[in-house]
Amino acid sequence: MGRLTGGDPSLLRRINSSVVLRALRGTDAPPSLTFTDLVQGTGLSRPTVEGVVEGLIETGLVAEAPPETSPSGDARRGRPARRFRFCAEAGHLLGIEIGAHRIAAVLSDLTGRTVGTATREVDETAGADERLEQARGTVADVLRRSCVPRDSLRAVGVGSPGIVRADGSVRLSTALPGWTGLPLADRLRRSFRCPVLVENDANAAALAEHWKGAAVGTDDVVFVLAGLSPGAGSLIGGRLHRGFGGAAGEIGALHLLGREARPENLLSTTGEPLHPLDEPAVARVFALARHGDVRATEAVERFIRRLVHDVAALVLALDPELVVVGGWAYGLDGVLEPLRCELERYCLRPPRVALSVLGEAAAATGALRLALDHMEEQLFAVET
Amino acid sequence: MGRLTGGDPSLLRRINSSVVLRALRGTDAPPSLTFTDLVQGTGLSRPTVEGVVEGLIETGLVAEAPPETSPSGDARRGRPARRFRFCAEAGHLLGIEIGAHRIAAVLSDLTGRTVGTATREVDETAGADERLEQARGTVADVLRRSCVPRDSLRAVGVGSPGIVRADGSVRLSTALPGWTGLPLADRLRRSFRCPVLVENDANAAALAEHWKGAAVGTDDVVFVLAGLSPGAGSLIGGRLHRGFGGAAGEIGALHLLGREARPENLLSTTGEPLHPLDEPAVARVFALARHGDVRATEAVERFIRRLVHDVAALVLALDPELVVVGGWAYGLDGVLEPLRCELERYCLRPPRVALSVLGEAAAATGALRLALDHMEEQLFAVET
């Protein structure tokens, strides 16, 4: 409220450009629009629309489209109206997940439509240099396969485990060796001539599910990256809630306060610790439980109880409309019902609970959404 | 982003009015300003400022002030510049806390400066009608004592325990008898000719500490209303986070999921339940603990452990810059150090921790802030 200043005419011009561009690239928009369409669609005057469109053509984001012929193929009377289209191919955007076991990359055009993907496995013990090398390799793969030149990239988003600072460096990451303190955005910027944005992987996944997953149309969402030490990403009013220091949703530490089982003992059936990132071993426990193994069943119950408690803490603190559970490929179907049931019992206003739609693609897709958002902000810079 | 529409000239006019009014009533502003002062302070043109000031005089919110004489008392050459001032006395605002034991009311002028307060005790077993009657009585007390006529009120804010709907009705309140389902705002509106806003008491207290308490200048705050079943109010980026259904921060239910002590047994030294709202009994336990009583000390330790866990859940979910602890008058000084220490140990990014500055006045003061915010929104309606 205190930051209001006197009216700014150039602000109006930028708002108008934004409105016209959004009309041209809207998901429901036809492939091209006339000045008359744009006047009707935006509520702006015709001279304003004409001026704005000329400006957008100069940026390369809008081009004149061939005039439309009438459905019957007959020539119309008079000169056909000029038509304009958004140039989705005027650049590309890239989303990358750098995870414990996997690097995933998604490449899109300027509307966010996917034009290519690539993944590589990486060892959970790999150091930062090796992991970054694999990430660069995955990017090279997807660009080559999609025949997109590197300098077509307008922005790159990255999702990775840990607390990420505003400058794209990693404040703390317990999951990846050598990751804490890494200037991740700076290291990756050497490979690109465009902005590189870094975000926590659960935060990125929350953005992704809201964009094209289980949370489409729902603006108050908690995405839980289930695991032995779960993390979460939250959208409040459709915007990412990072917290004051970027650590919002790092709920995995809650149980350190009690005298309860440490994460690595949660799913152990032998008393020996189970490495939190040892996904094949975790999958074996879930499989044994499905086949009736008593100790495995107990271990899975312990795991579910912990997850329910962590999710309940998030739900009570934030009161989201929807909780989306994702992250692991194994055993999550068995988690949903107990989670729903316990939240119904104990939360004063229980949220809906759903499984991730995007699955393993969630973090990379969210990183792509970050890149898309950044490009739009750069183009319009309407909001301060 | 999708809600942007074309530029609106009347929006600019309203922004300009808002900017001029804020300059006139700013906390650091001198008692009156000239057109020249306003032009310099706002960056608006002189004709714009003149037009806006005329409009504000018509609303009664701005008045012409007597011309200034020079410090030496000499008459200046020529006609002295016209001066204008904000009319803080053109109306009043009221904040009311309706609590389990107490009704508190704070009356202010249009800048939010307190001009009167009143409190009444109320029995924790009182029904809704009796409690509302006491609230009306407290309002009558403060208006009479301050010699402010009822029709001078521009807005009334109310803070009360429970989950409050957007329409000001109580969705759920376990603390006050007969409160669940009560159309609280509607019931109170009959006593006033101005808008009545209702908010959860912990949410109101968070607003108050941000306005004039422990959280001034800090926009990411969790206010914890400590008690046997604690509640919390959160500000994110300086705005109240209510949650999708108004239940954000109702962390007291977290322990129902475990098999741990129920709230009423937490501070019990006899094994007999202690009523969560029996403040004198709770105060006795804290006093006994200070004098070295073993069972009381154990009870207080149990209470602190629970509070630390609940606050940790809020901190991990939200990652605030600051946690403010308030609500109870007793024993809170002993809570701060263990809380700081445990949050330092277990939170990836520990927040600052502070005691409430406003104490028992927090919820009523926050309710007053709500009334002030509402009046400003009505006046300017710049933000959608």
Side-chain angles (χ1 to χ4, degrees):
Chain A
M1 304 282 274
R3 270 161 282 154
L4 279 175
T5 55
D8 170 5
S10 80
L11 173 67
L12 276 186
R13 209 176 309 131
R14 276 178 290 154
I15 291 176
N16 292 341
S17 288
S18 157
V19 168
V20 169
L21 196 48
R22 275 167 220 276
L24 281 166
R25 30 154 283 201
T27 40
D28 305 328
S32 68
L33 294 173
T34 64
F35 281 137
T36 306
D37 294 335
L38 287 167
V39 166
Q40 285 170 355
T42 63
L44 297 170
S45 74
R46 191 171 176 110
T48 300
V49 166
E50 288 180 355
V52 162
V53 167
E54 289 307 321
L56 289 170
I57 288 174
E58 277 170 34
T59 67
L61 289 169
V62 168
E64 193 150 357
E68 215 169 46
T69 52
S70 71
S72 63
D74 297 342
R76 287 181 172 179
R77 277 201 286 178
R79 196 154 51 116
R82 291 174 72 194
R83 305 192 72 87
F84 303 93
R85 66 178 183 89
F86 178 69
C87 297
E89 71 287 5
H92 289 83
L93 301 161
L94 185 63
I96 314 171
E97 177 191 11
I98 305 182
H101 304 279
R102 232 169 55 101
I103 314 282
V106 191
L107 183 69
S108 83
D109 67 17
L110 291 185
T111 62
R113 193 181 58 86
T114 302
V115 298
T117 62
T119 59
R120 284 194 183 191
E121 306 242 315
V122 59
D123 197 276
E124 72 204 37
T125 63
D129 288 340
E130 187 185 339
R131 202 173 297 276
L132 284 172
E133 198 45 48
Q134 291 295 331
R136 288 189 198 97
T138 315
V139 169
D141 291 348
V142 74
L143 290 173
R144 194 182 54 247
R145 281 188 218 156
S146 315
C147 301
V148 167
R150 186 171 291 258
D151 62 9
S152 176
L153 291 174
R154 295 281 189 118
V156 175
V158 179
S160 197
I163 303 176
V164 177
R165 293 197 185 88
D167 67 359
S169 65
V170 180
R171 183 200 283 263
L172 182 67
S173 178
T174 51
L176 305 190
W179 222 238
T180 296
L182 188 76
L184 182 52
D186 283 349
R187 290 287 295 273
L188 287 170
R189 257 174 218 129
R190 297 173 201 167
S191 308
F192 302 103
R193 290 195 177 175
C194 63
V196 176
L197 300 316
V198 179
E199 187 54 80
N200 169 271
D201 55 353
N203 287 355
L207 287 174
E209 296 287 345
H210 183 247
W211 183 26
K212 38 172 95 172
V216 169
T218 307
D219 281 351
D220 295 277
V221 185
V222 169
F223 176 91
V224 180
L225 202 59
L228 290 177
S229 184
S234 306
L235 299 185
I236 296 175
R239 298 171 70 100
L240 202 52
H241 173 61
R242 292 186 174 86
F244 179 70
E250 294 289 338
I251 200 71
L254 187 56
H255 283 274
L256 300 176
L257 277 94
R259 278 162 196 81
E260 295 176 52
R262 301 188 61 83
E264 53 271 33
N265 294 331
L266 255 190
L267 271 172
S268 169
T269 53
T270 60
E272 288 295 301
L274 184 68
H275 192 288
L277 297 174
D278 188 350
E279 289 193 5
V282 168
R284 273 196 300 278
V285 175
F286 274 98
L288 280 170
R290 265 197 299 277
H291 289 92
D293 181 279
V294 176
R295 298 184 70 172
T297 303
E298 284 170 4
V300 167
E301 280 171 5
R302 272 199 305 277
F303 167 78
I304 289 177
R305 225 161 31 234
R306 171 75 53 94
L307 185 67
V308 166
H309 188 271
D310 288 344
V311 174
L314 291 163
V315 166
L316 292 170
L318 288 159
D319 186 23
E321 183 178 1
L322 172 69
V323 172
V324 179
V325 183
W328 263 357
Y330 317 104
L332 283 183
D333 43 340
V335 163
L336 222 57
E337 256 329 288
L339 193 55
R340 262 193 204 121
C341 175
E342 295 287 291
L343 293 179
E344 287 282 341
R345 269 179 79 186
Y346 295 116
C347 292
L348 299 177
R349 206 210 54 76
R352 288 191 290 123
V353 178
L355 272 188
S356 161
V357 164
L358 295 167
E360 291 203 314
T365 303
L368 175 65
R369 178 71 240 185
L370 277 175
L372 184 57
D373 287 344
H374 182 81
M375 185 206 60
E376 294 190 345
E377 279 165 27
Q378 293 295 100
L379 282 176
F380 306 127
V382 166
E383 293 172 291
T384 40
Chain B
M1 303 281 275
R3 271 162 281 153
L4 279 175
T5 55
D8 169 5
S10 80
L11 173 67
L12 276 186
R13 208 177 309 130
R14 277 178 289 155
I15 291 176
N16 292 341
S17 287
S18 157
V19 168
V20 169
L21 196 48
R22 276 168 219 276
L24 280 166
R25 38 151 274 203
T27 40
D28 306 328
S32 69
L33 294 173
T34 64
F35 281 137
T36 307
D37 295 335
L38 286 168
V39 166
Q40 285 169 357
T42 62
L44 297 170
S45 75
R46 190 168 177 113
T48 300
V49 166
E50 288 179 356
V52 162
V53 167
E54 289 308 321
L56 288 170
I57 287 173
E58 277 170 34
T59 67
L61 288 171
V62 167
E64 192 149 357
E68 216 168 47
T69 52
S70 69
S72 62
D74 298 340
R76 287 181 171 178
R77 276 203 284 179
R79 196 156 48 118
R82 291 174 72 192
R83 306 193 70 88
F84 304 92
R85 67 177 182 88
F86 178 70
C87 296
E89 71 287 5
H92 290 83
L93 301 160
L94 186 61
I96 314 171
E97 177 191 10
I98 306 182
H101 304 280
R102 233 169 55 102
I103 314 283
V106 191
L107 183 69
S108 82
D109 67 17
L110 291 185
T111 62
R113 192 180 59 85
T114 302
V115 299
T117 62
T119 59
R120 283 194 184 191
E121 306 242 313
V122 59
D123 197 276
E124 73 205 36
T125 62
D129 288 340
E130 188 186 336
R131 203 174 295 276
L132 285 171
E133 198 45 48
Q134 292 295 330
R136 288 188 199 99
T138 315
V139 169
D141 291 347
V142 74
L143 290 173
R144 195 181 54 246
R145 280 187 220 155
S146 315
C147 302
V148 167
R150 186 172 290 258
D151 62 10
S152 177
L153 292 174
R154 296 280 189 116
V156 175
V158 179
S160 197
I163 302 177
V164 178
R165 293 197 186 88
D167 68 358
S169 65
V170 180
R171 182 200 284 263
L172 182 68
S173 178
T174 52
L176 305 190
W179 223 239
T180 297
L182 188 75
L184 182 52
D186 283 349
R187 290 288 295 272
L188 288 170
R189 257 175 219 131
R190 297 173 201 166
S191 309
F192 302 104
R193 291 196 174 173
C194 62
V196 175
L197 301 315
V198 179
E199 187 54 81
N200 168 272
D201 55 352
N203 287 357
L207 286 174
E209 296 287 343
H210 184 247
W211 183 27
K212 37 172 96 172
V216 169
T218 306
D219 282 351
D220 294 278
V221 185
V222 169
F223 176 91
V224 180
L225 202 59
L228 290 177
S229 184
S234 306
L235 299 185
I236 296 175
R239 297 171 71 100
L240 203 51
H241 172 63
R242 292 186 175 87
F244 179 70
E250 296 288 338
I251 200 72
L254 187 55
H255 283 274
L256 299 177
L257 279 93
R259 280 162 194 80
E260 296 178 51
R262 300 188 62 82
E264 52 272 32
N265 294 330
L266 254 191
L267 271 172
S268 169
T269 53
T270 59
E272 289 295 300
L274 186 66
H275 192 287
L277 296 173
D278 188 350
E279 287 193 6
V282 169
R284 273 195 300 279
V285 176
F286 275 98
L288 280 170
R290 265 197 299 278
H291 288 92
D293 181 279
V294 175
R295 299 186 70 172
T297 304
E298 283 170 4
V300 167
E301 280 170 5
R302 272 199 306 276
F303 167 77
I304 289 177
R305 226 163 28 236
R306 172 73 56 93
L307 185 67
V308 167
H309 188 270
D310 288 344
V311 174
L314 291 163
V315 165
L316 293 170
L318 288 160
D319 186 22
E321 182 178 1
L322 171 69
V323 171
V324 179
V325 183
W328 262 358
Y330 317 103
L332 282 184
D333 43 341
V335 163
L336 222 57
E337 255 331 288
L339 194 54
R340 262 194 203 118
C341 175
E342 295 287 290
L343 293 179
E344 288 282 339
R345 268 180 80 185
Y346 296 114
C347 293
L348 300 178
R349 206 209 56 75
R352 287 191 290 123
V353 178
L355 272 187
S356 161
V357 165
L358 296 166
E360 291 203 314
T365 303
L368 175 64
R369 179 71 240 185
L370 277 176
L372 185 56
D373 287 345
H374 182 81
M375 186 206 60
E376 293 190 346
E377 279 164 27
Q378 294 295 99
L379 282 176
F380 306 127
V382 166
E383 294 171 292
T384 40

